[in-house]
Amino acid sequence: MTTASAFESLVRDEFAPTTVYLNAASTGLLPRSALAAVVAAEEQRMHGEFDIPGVDSVIDDCRAAFGRLTGFAASQVAVGSQVSQMVGLVAQSLRPGANVLVPEHEFNSVLWPFLVRPDLNVRVVPLAEIPTAIRPGDDVVAAAVVQSADGAVLDIAATVAAARAHGARVLFDVSQAAGWLPLHDTGADWIIGAGYKWLCAPKGTVFLAGTPAALDTLTPTAAGWYAGYNPWETCYDGPLRLAEDARRFDVGPVWPAWIGQRRSLELIERIGVETIHRHDVALADRLRKGLGLPEGNSAVVSIEVSERTLERVRAARVVGAVRAGRLRLACHLYNTEEDVDRALDVLVD
């Protein structure tokens, strides 16, 4: 974990925004070190010098780093490229008639893999009611820890406790949480997350982590060459020779994305998620205070604005996103108090 001055120095060295970029919830800024690693790899490819098997150790480093962030061993972490594909592994593993609880307004990469199965009973309730809505007979509770639409934060401890009391398993999507919210002790059965948002990676990296018991309930329905116990020896012919650990759920990696992801994870671990959490929420609270809103527990602020205000926001090169009819602004490690104040200058009449 870094000091405040070291944090500022690292951020200055790694990021170069030319806008007031408050949009990590859509995609995070790419650190210079990640960009350099990706460019170097693509230049090697251009010259015919790219070492494809050499990326395996890079991916293994990413597994281990994501495991440290979420409380899992590297052997419990699988890699892919789409959240919905990983959620689909869980959805397809459920018995006909299984009961699934999901929050209202959940991002569809979490919801639709369950809805695509008409033989599942999918129940939807408001996010704040998730812990109290879990009941006997529920099989899975699936939710984003931080909601995409508005940044609302799920009560993780209460949700897991209620699920355990009623015999349900828990799937958390951490795409909007990993990288700023401490997640090393959630108690979830499965954790799935994309890297291109708060983990500041190129698009194309997704993680699935799970307990051994929870992973054993899944079938590697997308089993391919990278799911073998040694992909470079098991890439042809039968019999099936899957990896024994979570790697049996791997899909073929997007090599440049993982090369960049390792550098971004190194940076996040060097700074420390607890440090980033304090920084991000403090900036979001500064924004909330300036807007006349109470303090919160999220790095994301969602507000209703007029079309005229949206036009001013865009003209001032303040970058956010419109989600569910509201302006969503996300504060991350590369943002400053000056960024927030510049946004407030535009937002507050």
Side-chain angles (χ1 to χ4, degrees), residues 104-344:
E104 285 181 346
H105 312 305
E106 182 58 85
F107 195 68
N108 282 340
S109 290
V110 177
L111 176 62
W112 281 12
F114 296 101
L115 291 185
V116 79
R117 280 193 59 183
D119 60 341
L120 298 180
N121 301 312
V122 180
R123 193 167 79 259
V124 177
V125 302
L127 182 75
E129 297 177 15
I130 286 286
T132 56
I134 302 169
R135 61 197 186 194
D138 284 341
D139 294 278
V140 171
V141 181
V145 166
V146 177
Q147 289 289 292
S148 171
D150 60 6
V153 180
L154 177 70
D155 188 332
I156 294 173
T159 298
V160 173
R164 294 290 170 263
H166 294 297
R169 283 198 162 100
V170 177
L171 183 158
F172 284 150
D173 172 22
V174 298
S175 298
Q176 296 289 4
W180 75 268
L181 186 68
L183 295 167
H184 45 73
D185 190 26
T186 65
D189 296 280
W190 305 282
I191 280 182
I192 297 170
Y196 70 95
K197 297 177 184 290
W198 305 85
L199 292 178
C200 298
K203 196 172 193 315
T205 67
V206 167
F207 299 90
L208 162 65
T211 66
L215 291 176
D216 282 346
T217 68
L218 308 183
T219 299
T221 53
W225 73 277
Y226 209 67
Y229 72 82
N230 183 336
W232 303 105
E233 293 181 4
T234 58
C235 53
Y236 298 105
D237 299 320
L240 190 65
R241 290 154 290 169
L242 293 175
E244 294 184 357
D245 60 10
R247 292 181 301 120
R248 67 188 184 273
F249 303 108
D250 285 359
V251 297
V254 181
W255 294 308
W258 288 103
I259 289 167
Q261 178 71 91
R262 179 171 66 171
R263 296 303 183 203
S264 298
L265 284 168
E266 288 172 350
L267 175 64
I268 287 168
E269 287 199 290
R270 185 175 176 188
I271 295 171
V273 171
E274 288 78 10
T275 298
I276 297 172
H277 176 256
R278 288 193 298 271
H279 173 84
D280 289 9
V281 175
L283 289 181
D285 277 342
R286 185 182 184 92
L287 183 56
R288 281 186 274 263
K289 181 178 180 180
L291 294 168
L293 302 173
E295 290 186 350
N297 62 351
S298 179
V300 179
V301 179
S302 175
I303 56 174
E304 187 174 345
V305 297
S306 66
E307 283 297 325
R308 178 172 171 270
T309 300
L310 274 179
E311 290 174 5
R312 291 206 311 265
V313 166
R314 293 172 183 134
R317 292 171 59 77
V318 175
V319 182
V322 176
R323 294 292 184 271
R326 297 165 65 89
L327 177 63
R328 185 187 67 188
L329 301 173
C331 303
H332 202 16
L333 73 165
Y334 39 70
N335 291 123
T336 64
E337 291 183 351
E338 289 74 19
D339 287 339
V340 171
D341 293 344
R342 286 175 62 190
L344 288 171

Side-chain angles (χ1 to χ4, degrees), residues 60-132:
D60 287 343
D61 288 346
C62 292
R63 290 184 211 273
F66 188 79
R68 288 190 294 271
L69 291 178
T70 55
F72 291 88
S75 61
Q76 296 172 285
V77 180
V79 300
S81 58
Q82 299 293 328
V83 166
S84 58
Q85 183 264 333
M86 293 299 195
V87 176
L89 289 176
V90 177
Q92 292 301 314
S93 75
L94 300 178
R95 61 175 176 83
N99 298 305
V100 181
L101 182 64
V102 182
E104 285 181 346
H105 312 305
E106 182 58 85
F107 195 68
N108 282 340
S109 290
V110 177
L111 176 62
W112 281 12
F114 296 101
L115 291 185
V116 79
R117 280 193 59 183
D119 60 341
L120 298 180
N121 301 312
V122 180
R123 193 167 79 259
V124 177
V125 302
L127 182 75
E129 297 177 15
I130 286 286
T132 56

